[in-house]
Amino acid sequence: MTGTRVVRGVTGVCAAVALAEAVARLEVVDPELVPPVSAVLVRSVALAGDPVFLAGMADTVLAWLVGLALALVAAVAAGVVLGSVPWLSTPSRIVVEFLRPIPSVALIPLAILLFGSETEMKVSLIFYAATWPILLNTLYALRDVDPLAKETLRSFGFGPLAVLWRVSLPSAAPFVATGVRVAAGIALVVVVGAELLSGGTSGLGVFLIEAGSAGGNTDVTLAGAVWAGTLGLLVNALLVRAEQGAFRWHFARTGKAAA
């Protein structure tokens, strides 16, 4: 089944690439605006040896990793507390539902004012955006833990912390991992968007905006975008593989694979 999905995915990508190449070669659109895919791919390979581009990618990935790690720790801790203490459930839900829809890019001016360092600004925005998927998945997962399993442990004399450690957290862990995977994609979009809009000095977004503003470098801009997409694809694939390896018992029980 997995092999079939891979074949279909590769087929779809190849068809899209071929169509885009044909559109450019036939000059259905201005080639200066939309260069052939082959030219973009060649430029993408060339960027792999560009030290300026690689330094910008490294800055983006570093901010992404730090922000995502901080969001994971904070969101899981908050989710465990809010999901385990009944009287905190309703007031916390109101606060979460109020803050969650606020777009991270709308907070860029505030982040610039609050944080002097460009890296700190990006990390703070990533932290804010990545917290919500992990927090919500943790909350919902803890609320859906089998009550019979918890009552069984209590009947054997186990306290609240033991029930949390032995039943609630293991049961919620696969859903938390899914939240991390969703948050990772969101965080990547946010960090590149923050670099594009904040006028920073380094990062993938800065590279894209400088390439676009130079004029006549559409292939360079698109090549940078190809690397951004490739990075997102690799991150998702690695997280899916880690999720499947760590929670085989969950996927065997549900009969599903991580999407």
Side-chain angles (χ1 to χ4, degrees):
M1 185 65 179
T2 302
T4 303
R5 292 176 61 187
V6 171
V7 170
R8 289 177 178 174
V10 171
T11 302
V13 170
C14 292
V17 168
L19 178 61
E21 181 76 13
V23 167
R25 294 296 179 184
L26 295 173
E27 298 187 1
V28 177
V29 295
D30 187 351
E32 292 295 326
L33 297 177
V34 183
V37 175
S38 55
V40 173
L41 293 178
V42 169
R43 181 67 72 173
S44 300
V45 174
L47 286 180
D50 186 340
V52 175
F53 173 76
L54 293 178
M57 281 283 287
D59 286 345
T60 297
V61 172
L62 177 61
W64 172 81
L65 284 173
V66 174
L68 186 62
L70 292 175
L72 173 61
V73 173
V76 171
V80 168
V81 172
L82 298 177
S84 303
V85 182
W87 59 270
L88 286 176
S89 178
T90 300
S92 65
R93 187 182 308 171
I94 294 173
V95 174
V96 168
E97 293 301 329
F98 173 75
L99 294 176
R100 183 170 63 90
I102 300 176
S104 299
V105 291
L107 300 176
I108 289 177
L110 178 61
I112 293 174
L113 290 174
L114 292 178
F115 302 99
S117 166
E118 181 182 342
T119 300
E120 291 177 352
M121 180 272 294
K122 291 190 288 190
V123 168
S124 67
L125 294 171
I126 294 167
F127 173 81
Y128 178 84
T131 293
W132 305 116
I134 304 174
L135 176 60
L136 291 175
N137 271 38
T138 304
L139 287 173
Y140 293 145
L142 288 175
R143 290 169 186 166
D144 289 339
V145 174
D146 186 1
L148 181 60
K150 295 192 289 186
E151 288 301 325
T152 301
L153 228 62
R154 292 191 187 104
S155 67
F156 282 100
F158 288 93
L161 290 179
V163 172
L164 177 66
W165 181 254
R166 293 173 179 268
V167 175
S168 298
L169 288 180
S171 178
F175 302 97
V176 175
T178 300
V180 172
R181 185 154 49 87
V182 174
I186 294 173
L188 186 58
V189 173
V190 168
V191 68
V192 175
E195 291 167 347
L196 282 168
L197 299 175
S198 64
T201 58
S202 181
L204 179 57
V206 175
F207 176 86
L208 292 175
I209 198 68
E210 289 179 349
S213 61
N217 289 326
T218 307
D219 58 337
V220 179
T221 305
L222 292 177
V226 167
W227 275 108
T230 302
L231 178 60
L233 185 64
L234 290 175
V235 166
N236 185 73
L238 289 174
L239 290 175
V240 167
R241 181 60 61 89
E243 192 176 339
Q244 291 175 337
F247 306 112
R248 292 181 184 275
W249 54 270
H250 172 74
F251 296 112
R253 185 181 66 185
T254 59
K256 298 178 181 179

